[in-house]
């Protein structure tokens, strides 16, 4: 069965500290991988995606994720977080031809001043 | 770029009733997917429509049905509502099979009492 696992349900961190949100996937969803961010009472916003090519992908707001096939991981990192990064983050994979996304359970990132 | 719009934003229904949720896809997108996000969970795939035909379905009963119209807008219909149907319903549009990502709407919060 396809699965995406986010290893931490909550990650508290202080402002300007680095952060890593962990995501592992089953091989059946490894075709395309995504990170989405959800702010309170809002829908999902695409943060970054891995489709092919370079295993390191970056977003415009400083996040990056690395596709690691041997460890079946797609961890999200940011070297220095801001208060505004407080949100819930979802890792998702797509492995079927008709485009179904399989989501992880989400990680709530809380940035403290 | 118009984005994905959903209506209504909030809805309260009584158990046993029927509900219709609406979604207007992003301009140029011909594929629409619907997801159910229960409180504290990641989104779960309900089904997907491509060029007005359902081409993928998740583990949801037949009382969850949908339509996609020639202008690529879409409806999600749920019959015989149950308390467990209370959730945020998200619509996502994409071009083709979503290789370039999915654009999500802000969702409809459905409460069944």
């Amino acid at each position: 069965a396809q699965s995406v696992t986010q290893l931490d349900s909550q990650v508290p961190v202080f402002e300007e500290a680095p952060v890593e949100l962990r995501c592992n996937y089953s091989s059946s969803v490894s075709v395309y991988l995504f990170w989405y961010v959800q702010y309170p009472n809002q829908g999902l916003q695409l943060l970054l995606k891995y489709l092919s090519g370079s295993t390191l992908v970056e977003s415009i707001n400083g996040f990056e994720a690395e596709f690691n096939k041997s460890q079946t991981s797609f961890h999200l990192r940011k070297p220095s977080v801001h208060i505004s990064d407080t949100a819930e983050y979802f890792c998702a994979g797509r492995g079927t031809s008709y485009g179904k996304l399989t989501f992880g359970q989400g990680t709530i990132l809380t940035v403290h001043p | 770029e118009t984005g994905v719009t959903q209506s209504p934003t909030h809805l309260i229904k009584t158990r046993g009733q029927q509900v219709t949720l609406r979604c207007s896809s992003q301009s140029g997108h011909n594929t629409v997917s619907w997801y159910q996000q229960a409180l504290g969970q990641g989104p779960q795939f309900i089904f997907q429509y491509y060029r007005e035909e359902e081409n993928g379905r998740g583990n949801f009963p037949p009382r969850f049905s949908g339509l996609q119209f020639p202008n690529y807008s879409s409806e999600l219909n749920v019959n015989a509502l149950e308390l467990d149907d209370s959730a945020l319903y998200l619509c996502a549009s994409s071009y083709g099979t979503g290789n370039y990502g999915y654009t999500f709407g802000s969702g409809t919060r459905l409460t069944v009492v």
Side-chain angles (χ1 to χ4, degrees), chain B residues 11 23 27 43 46 52 56 87:
Chain B
L11 200 54
C23 172
S27 177
I46 302 175
E52 303 176 56

Side-chain angles (χ1 to χ4, degrees), chain B residues 6-65:
Chain B
Q6 293 187 243
S7 62
T9 55
H10 295 82
L11 200 54
I12 300 175
K13 287 287 190 177
T14 303
R15 189 173 50 183
Q17 284 188 313
Q18 178 266 343
V19 69
T20 297
L21 310 182
R22 294 180 172 82
C23 172
S24 178
S25 299
Q26 180 168 315
S27 177
H29 285 183
N30 54 12
T31 301
V32 65
S33 309
W34 286 89
Y35 290 80
Q36 180 195 66
Q37 186 180 16
L39 203 60
Q41 303 292 319
Q44 298 290 317
F45 176 75
I46 302 175
F47 46 57
Q48 178 171 288
Y49 280 80
Y50 172 66
R51 292 184 175 178
E52 303 176 56
E53 292 206 3
E54 184 181 300
N55 70 340
R57 190 175 184 92
N59 190 26
F60 281 81
R63 60 189 185 83
F64 285 78
S65 63

Side-chain angles (χ1 to χ4, degrees), chain A residues 28-107:
Chain A
S28 58
V29 296
S30 66
V31 178
Y32 305 111
L33 295 164
F34 304 86
W35 275 99
Y36 283 88
V37 58
Q38 186 175 37
Y39 297 99
N41 300 314
Q42 294 189 26
L44 300 174
Q45 298 176 29
L46 179 65
L47 197 57
L48 45 77
K49 61 192 175 196
Y50 170 77
L51 304 180
S52 64
S54 172
T55 57
L56 184 66
V57 290
E58 299 177 350
S59 71
I60 58 173
N61 56 356
F63 283 95
E64 64 179 31
E66 185 165 17
F67 171 66
N68 188 320
K69 189 173 182 179
S70 64
Q71 298 191 5
T72 61
S73 68
F74 190 57
H75 300 333
L76 181 70
R77 301 183 182 97
K78 190 171 185 180
S80 176
V81 294
H82 303 288
I83 297 287
S84 59
D85 293 325
T86 294
E88 188 160 17
Y89 292 78
F90 291 95
C91 182
R94 205 210 90 185
T96 62
S97 60
Y98 63 73
K100 167 191 172 182
L101 285 177
T102 300
F103 284 87
Q105 294 287 79
T107 298

Side-chain angles (χ1 to χ4, degrees), chain B residues 47-95:
Chain B
F47 46 57
Q48 178 171 288
Y49 280 80
Y50 172 66
R51 292 184 175 178
E52 303 176 56
E53 292 206 3
E54 184 181 300
N55 70 340
R57 190 175 184 92
N59 190 26
F60 281 81
R63 60 189 185 83
F64 285 78
S65 63
L67 284 172
Q68 186 184 29
F69 301 100
N71 65 354
Y72 303 133
S73 65
S74 173
E75 287 182 356
L76 164 65
N77 299 289
V78 187
N79 293 322
L81 283 167
E82 301 176 359
L83 297 180
D84 285 348
D85 295 334
S86 295
L88 180 68
Y89 288 85
L90 296 165
C91 170
S93 73
S94 64
Y95 180 76

